[in-house]
Amino acid sequence: MTPIRHNHSDGETVLDAARDCVLAVGVRRTTLTDVARRAGVSRMTLYRRWPDVRTLVGDVMTREWVALAVAAMPEPGAPARRRLVDGLVAGVEAFRAHPLFHKILDVDPELLLPYVLDRRGASQDALLGLITGALEEGHADGSVRAAHPDLQARSVLLIVQSFTLSLRTMTDDADPELDEAAFLGELRILLERTLAP
């Protein structure tokens, strides 16, 4: 029998276990019991914090996507617009390569629909915060067109989100002018032009 661990890292341990379960069998076939067993915690530990698998997987996605977005942003030094565009393009590429994103898109795509059609999720709100901060820096250094930062951030996220979620429906790997790299180049142009003063 797996020993039950109780410490401050239980939350991260559970998120890791949930991620691993989803990678193994998808969201629909993952149960809180499976996650608890893999994490080495009691089921009650999970139920106190997460009422169901979808809520838990939502927290996993938020952790994974925000960490990915933060890692994609270049260090300060260049003008804010260049850093933002570089970070967004790198972020789309990293999202599309992420194994959890692939698994959800391939096995449980309906999990993403509410965040595309009905409401923003915690991941989107966190990404909006990152984008808004970068836009405000760009307004201050003159590299980004002055506009309402929330309007700009939401518009940019709509563009980036569509490239992230739908790119595979548009690419043609047999044609180098229509492969993923070509579309990421086009994304860079779109972002540069929409944000330029």
Side-chain angles (χ1 to χ4, degrees):
M1 183 171 180
T2 306
I4 303 300
R5 293 188 306 256
H6 297 285
N7 60 44
H8 67 281
S9 66
D10 276 353
E12 287 301 310
T13 301
V14 168
L15 294 177
D16 289 343
R19 179 198 60 217
D20 294 345
C21 285
V22 171
L23 287 172
V25 298
V27 175
R28 277 177 295 203
R29 293 181 56 201
T30 293
T31 67
L32 288 178
T33 301
D34 295 334
V35 174
R37 185 178 306 116
R38 190 179 286 251
V41 299
S42 71
R43 284 184 299 167
M44 286 314 298
T45 298
L46 265 64
Y47 287 118
R48 277 195 294 270
R49 189 158 168 195
W50 296 282
D52 54 41
V53 169
R54 284 187 179 257
T55 305
L56 175 55
V57 171
D59 284 355
V60 171
M61 290 191 301
T62 297
R63 181 188 71 166
E64 298 288 318
W65 304 161
V66 172
L68 198 150
V70 169
M73 292 302 287
E75 293 294 321
R81 185 179 83 239
R82 190 167 88 203
R83 286 191 329 237
L84 178 58
V85 170
D86 288 350
L88 290 170
V89 173
V92 169
E93 191 170 18
F95 266 88
R96 295 189 42 72
H98 196 285
L100 183 64
F101 178 74
H102 272 274
K103 188 69 169 190
I104 290 170
L105 208 56
D106 291 341
V107 178
D108 300 293
E110 70 281 356
L111 186 68
L112 301 173
L113 283 178
Y115 308 113
V116 175
L117 300 176
D118 297 324
R119 62 183 171 84
R120 289 196 314 266
S123 301
Q124 289 160 310
D125 284 337
L127 295 173
L128 284 171
L130 291 171
I131 294 168
T132 302
L135 289 169
E136 288 170 345
E137 288 178 30
H139 295 160
D141 73 12
S143 65
V144 172
R145 173 178 52 87
H148 190 293
D150 290 337
L151 173 63
Q152 274 184 317
R154 292 174 190 193
S155 298
V156 165
L157 186 57
L158 284 170
I159 294 167
V160 170
Q161 192 169 272
S162 69
F163 271 78
T164 303
L165 296 174
S166 302
L167 187 59
R168 71 180 178 177
T169 67
M170 297 295 156
T171 58
D172 180 354
D173 290 334
D175 183 343
E177 293 186 25
L178 293 174
D179 65 8
E180 185 169 317
F183 276 95
L184 290 175
E186 193 67 18
L187 172 61
R188 179 177 298 280
I189 291 167
L190 289 170
L191 292 171
E192 281 284 353
R193 290 187 178 171
T194 197
L195 295 175

